[in-house]
Amino acid sequence: MTSLGRMSKKLCGVMHVCCPILLSGVKSTMPGYYLLGFRILIVKEPRILRYSMKAMQDRVNALVATGHSSQQVAALLDRHPFIMLKTEEALQNQLLFVAHVLEVPVTSSEVLNFVLAMRTNSNFFACNVNTLREGLAFLKKTGISEKGMAKGLKRNVCSVLPGEMQLRCQHLTAKLGLSNKLLARMLSNQPGVLTIQSARVDINLRRLEGLGFSDSQAQSMATRQPALLTFNWDTALQKEKWHVLSNIVHMPLERLVGNPSILTSAMEKILARWQFLCLLANAGQLKNSSPIDILCKSIADPDKKFASVFNCTGMHLVYDESFKKACLASHVPKFLDA
């Protein structure tokens, strides 16, 4: 058989094994749907073609054997096609590991929902279970909360070797002046900070100082909002956000020190809420509060809650997707492409 013939046979095998599972939730038997599911799977993870049809069938069977429905397995394959490269034993062990962390049976829907919530670029399934266990054991030693450990697993923290995690914890403690209790609290809120190399932590602290914050202010903000240490402040998007805050909102630095979550918010969200609050202020609808006061207090609120409090139907002023799109369309960017 020619190499082309062997490849064609392999492609047919993938379609035979994977497509019925991938499309188990699709109410159609049209060949076009099967071909679409096949193409999606191969594009996402072409290395599947290295394996035999039996190997792929064994992996699918291993997932079904954990007690999940074919629809659930389909969602898992679509989200993380890399799992088809794992042996059936390794697959089951990793799902058992998640069940152990969550303290639920492996057949629980919580296990699958947890894995589906992982980012598509997560290397969770690429890690050995023993590596994950060692990482989790180290996190426990730091005093991190149970919720924080689950969050850390979801954000690839446990894929960092314990020795490297220890060095990063020591670096964070030294740079931010943290006690063990404060370190545990920080990691519980933002365990993903341990996936950031120490050099990036230093760079981001310097970037904050370069924006005008003092050394102690930068440390305080990073301690309260560790996500600040994970950003790349040199991107056009981050520069645009700072331009909006400093030149459009005219946000005082001390307000950002007290509300560092504003710096982690989306630029579009800051811009739209600011313009909406200014319209309300100009119409005399904010009473004794200023737009900056309200922006600082409400920035973490979801849009639905913000709209329920500040929508002014009498003025036909409604905070919704249309309003946000209009604000963005009228904004003249300085660092982003228009």
Side-chain angles (χ1 to χ4, degrees):
M1 183 181 293
T2 65
S3 58
L4 182 60
R6 286 193 295 271
M7 178 62 73
S8 297
K9 185 177 180 181
K10 183 67 68 69
L11 292 174
C12 290
V14 175
M15 291 181 72
H16 175 75
V17 174
C18 299
C19 289
I21 289 291
L22 279 170
L23 299 169
S24 59
V26 177
K27 296 180 179 179
S28 175
T29 56
M30 291 176 62
Y33 280 101
Y34 282 83
L35 185 59
L36 175 63
F38 160 71
R39 285 174 175 170
I40 291 172
L41 185 66
I42 297 304
V43 168
K44 287 184 176 180
E45 187 46 78
R47 289 175 294 177
I48 289 173
L49 293 175
R50 298 177 185 173
Y51 296 87
S52 69
M53 189 169 74
K54 181 181 182 305
M56 289 184 287
Q57 186 67 65
D58 288 343
R59 284 156 176 74
V60 170
N61 290 342
L63 290 170
V64 174
T66 59
H68 300 295
S69 69
S70 57
Q71 287 86 354
Q72 291 173 318
V73 172
L76 188 58
L77 285 175
D78 182 60
R79 179 75 172 168
H80 301 293
F82 179 83
I83 62 178
M84 291 298 286
L85 307 182
K86 303 281 287 188
T87 66
E88 52 270 26
E89 182 182 2
L91 273 176
Q92 290 178 332
N93 284 340
Q94 284 186 294
L95 292 179
L96 285 167
F97 176 74
V98 172
H100 172 72
V101 173
L102 300 180
E103 299 181 338
V104 297
V106 71
T107 54
S108 170
S109 60
E110 289 183 46
V111 173
L112 202 68
N113 290 338
F114 184 88
V115 176
L116 288 174
M118 291 181 179
R119 296 172 181 171
T120 53
N121 63 351
S122 169
N123 63 355
F124 172 77
F125 286 104
C127 291
N128 182 283
V129 171
N130 290 330
T131 300
L132 295 172
R133 287 198 185 103
E134 291 171 1
L136 196 67
F138 178 83
L139 287 178
K140 284 183 178 180
K141 288 181 182 179
T142 67
I144 190 173
S145 66
E146 293 291 328
K147 186 176 180 180
M149 281 191 287
K151 195 186 296 183
L153 183 62
K154 196 177 292 184
R155 286 165 172 73
N156 289 341
V157 174
C158 293
S159 64
V160 181
L161 295 176
E164 181 60 29
M165 271 203 273
Q166 184 172 10
L167 290 175
R168 292 178 185 181
C169 283
Q170 291 172 348
H171 189 77
L172 285 169
T173 300
K175 295 298 291 187
L176 303 179
L178 302 175
S179 64
N180 290 337
K181 186 175 181 179
L182 281 176
L183 176 65
R185 186 184 302 170
M186 171 193 266
L187 296 181
S188 295
N189 293 332
Q190 186 72 36
V193 74
L194 287 180
T195 64
I196 306 301
Q197 294 183 356
S198 297
R200 168 53 63 182
V201 170
D202 293 346
I203 289 171
N204 282 355
L205 285 173
R206 288 197 298 270
R207 290 291 185 273
L208 288 173
E209 293 168 16
L211 294 175
F213 300 103
S214 68
D215 180 59
S216 60
Q217 286 175 329
Q219 291 176 1
S220 172
M221 293 166 69
T223 300
R224 295 173 57 194
Q225 197 65 241
L228 293 173
L229 298 175
T230 67
F231 288 168
N232 181 354
W233 291 95
D234 295 325
T235 64
L237 186 59
Q238 294 300 335
K239 291 179 180 179
E240 189 71 27
K241 183 197 296 185
W242 183 252
H243 168 66
V244 168
L245 284 169
S246 58
N247 298 308
I248 297 177
V249 178
H250 300 290
M251 180 71 72
L253 289 182
E254 58 268 20
R255 300 303 295 269
L256 292 173
V257 173
N259 300 274
S261 61
I262 295 176
L263 284 174
T264 65
S265 301
M267 183 274 291
E268 297 88 344
K269 181 180 183 181
I270 296 170
L271 183 65
R273 292 198 179 184
W274 170 252
Q275 291 191 12
F276 190 83
L277 291 169
C278 285
L279 289 173
L280 289 177
N282 292 337
Q285 297 292 321
L286 294 186
K287 298 181 180 179
N288 297 322
S289 296
S290 70
I292 282 182
D293 289 334
I294 296 175
L295 184 65
C296 291
K297 293 175 183 177
S298 66
I299 194 66
D301 293 340
D303 284 346
K304 187 176 181 180
K305 182 178 179 180
F306 180 84
S308 68
V309 174
F310 296 106
N311 275 355
C312 190
T313 54
M315 294 175 53
H316 302 289
L317 192 56
V318 178
Y319 186 83
D320 56 14
E321 288 302 317
S322 296
F323 180 86
K324 290 191 289 182
K325 287 179 181 178
C327 288
L328 196 58
S330 64
H331 174 62
V332 179
K334 182 175 181 180
F335 297 98
L336 296 173
D337 292 333

